[in-house]
Amino acid sequence: MKKNWWKVLSIVLLIYTVIGGFLFNVPRLTIVNETIRALYFHVPMWFGMVFMFLASTYHAVLYLRKSQTIYDNYSNSFATVGLFLGLLGIVTGMIWANYTWGSPWHGDPKQNGAAIALLVYFAYFILRGSITNNEQKARLSAVYNIFAFTAMVPLIFIIPRMTSSMHPGSGGNPGFNMYDLDSKMRMVFYPAVIGWSLMGRWVATVLIRIQIVKEKIEDLEDEQVQ
Amino acid sequence: MNKFNKILALVFFSTIALSASAQEAEMADTMRANGKIYVVVAIVLVILLGLISYLISIDRKVRNLEKRLPKK
């Protein structure tokens, strides 16, 4: 239990996020109205995704330095969870955009950049699936993983800021600062980011452990054949 | 209609009748206040807690598999 304290923290923070996110006071703004609360649920998906991809790339670098299979397993699992969170982020963003911007896909630089970044990560899994040799798969996908992360950063964080975008936090639009109650919103937003990121890490560790069990079983089967 | 169903119907309809006659009385109305937002909070919490307990059970299943494997 002691080493699983972060799982408990994740559950507590997520329960707090739901209660606070629905019930605490938020700025009264036209057009967005109550949908401002989506900030507590939509944006943490992207923050979680970035943390997962960061962990994935970190382990990809470790794999290239040490060539141990376990790092490839870590890298793959974190990328899987990151992509899942990214898909949830883009779908929730489309719902939000439909009711505030007028259509689900607005061709906004932030949306397009996020979609391209997700496609770049889809290619990571296509690459993994197309190589049968495990060592080659691990090495090539580790190299590609570093490329995917460095491509994602400008696509999501830099290009939308340089052009005109309606998305808060890009194209000259402030993220929090336009709201009067910004500090109150932070009280829910940051716990939400931490909660969802820890939840992502939890799912990733389960995937990693399943893969380790699978590899051990395969080793045992090989011994039996011999 | 057998006996059990008859009793069930009696209980059901008497509950409806009672609840219709008791509308002036003070009730636990918190869940219906503020445009019923608390109901949504309850629903989302149930879904969240359900998914979390599912994740915990998957976590335990993996731990059991790990225990069955010989340590290297």
Side-chain angles (χ1 to χ4, degrees):
Chain A
M1 203 63 205
K2 243 179 188 173
K3 63 175 184 182
N4 287 333
W5 61 270
W6 55 275
K7 295 180 182 173
V8 180
L9 179 68
S10 154
I11 295 170
V12 171
L13 287 178
L14 289 181
I15 292 169
Y16 168 78
T17 302
V18 169
I19 296 171
F22 276 103
L23 300 180
F24 289 0
N25 279 332
V26 288
R28 289 170 176 270
L29 302 172
T30 51
I31 301 171
V32 283
N33 306 95
E34 289 279 7
T35 71
I36 195 169
R37 295 181 192 278
L39 173 97
Y40 300 135
F41 303 97
H42 161 75
V43 187
M45 293 298 119
W46 294 106
F47 274 65
M49 181 198 80
V50 171
F51 287 134
M52 293 303 113
F53 284 166
L54 193 64
S56 178
T57 307
Y58 173 72
H59 288 103
V61 173
L62 276 185
Y63 177 81
L64 290 175
R65 286 171 65 103
K66 300 186 177 164
S67 292
Q68 284 168 357
T69 329
I70 185 75
Y71 294 122
D72 180 53
N73 178 9
Y74 272 72
S75 192
N76 180 29
S77 301
F78 276 115
T80 308
V81 178
L83 187 63
F84 191 77
L85 289 177
L87 284 172
L88 289 178
I90 215 156
V91 171
T92 52
M94 280 167 72
I95 297 171
W96 199 0
N98 194 24
Y99 295 100
T100 50
W101 292 352
S103 65
W105 202 266
H106 221 268
D108 192 86
K110 192 83 165 183
Q111 277 190 318
N112 288 342
I116 298 166
L118 290 185
L119 288 174
V120 168
Y121 269 92
F122 272 128
Y124 171 77
F125 295 98
I126 293 168
L127 177 71
R128 289 190 72 87
S130 61
I131 304 167
T132 46
N133 183 312
N134 279 339
E135 204 178 313
Q136 260 188 340
K137 178 197 287 187
R139 195 155 37 86
L140 289 177
S141 60
V143 174
Y144 182 82
N145 195 313
I146 297 167
F147 160 75
F149 189 79
T150 46
M152 181 207 70
V153 172
L155 280 169
I156 292 183
F157 296 108
I158 301 173
I159 296 172
R161 277 169 207 264
M162 294 172 71
T163 55
S164 78
S165 166
M166 298 208 294
H167 193 283
S170 7
N173 288 335
F176 275 117
N177 300 331
M178 65 197 216
Y179 313 131
D180 308 333
L181 290 172
D182 56 326
S183 54
K184 275 191 186 167
M185 291 195 79
R186 280 172 223 262
M187 296 276 287
V188 178
F189 177 70
Y190 290 126
V193 168
I194 298 167
W196 285 112
S197 303
L198 289 177
M199 176 64 70
R201 187 188 160 196
W202 187 354
V203 176
T205 54
V206 170
L207 291 179
I208 290 162
R209 285 159 60 199
I210 289 174
Q211 182 63 25
I212 291 172
V213 169
K214 210 171 135 192
E215 279 165 14
K216 276 188 182 169
I217 289 172
E218 279 166 4
D219 286 351
L220 286 175
E221 283 170 352
D222 286 348
E223 282 170 25
Q224 279 169 354
V225 169
Q226 288 159 8
Chain B
M1 202 187 238
N2 60 30
K3 217 171 199 177
F4 178 72
N5 276 351
K6 274 181 191 167
I7 293 168
L8 205 67
L10 182 71
V11 172
F12 180 66
F13 289 117
S14 55
T15 315
I16 290 177
L18 274 176
S19 60
S21 65
Q23 266 183 3
E24 299 305 312
E26 196 162 319
M27 302 291 283
D29 282 330
T30 320
M31 291 289 273
R32 290 166 220 124
N34 283 8
K36 301 189 181 77
I37 189 68
Y38 296 99
V39 180
V40 185
V41 176
I43 288 168
V44 177
L45 277 180
V46 166
I47 292 174
L48 180 70
L49 291 176
L51 286 175
I52 287 171
S53 33
Y54 189 37
L55 180 58
I56 291 172
S57 88
I58 293 171
D59 198 313
R60 287 208 180 124
K61 277 178 190 164
V62 176
R63 194 176 306 150
N64 288 336
L65 284 178
E66 283 167 343
K67 277 181 194 161
R68 279 170 61 187
L69 283 170
K71 280 180 187 134
K72 277 183 190 170

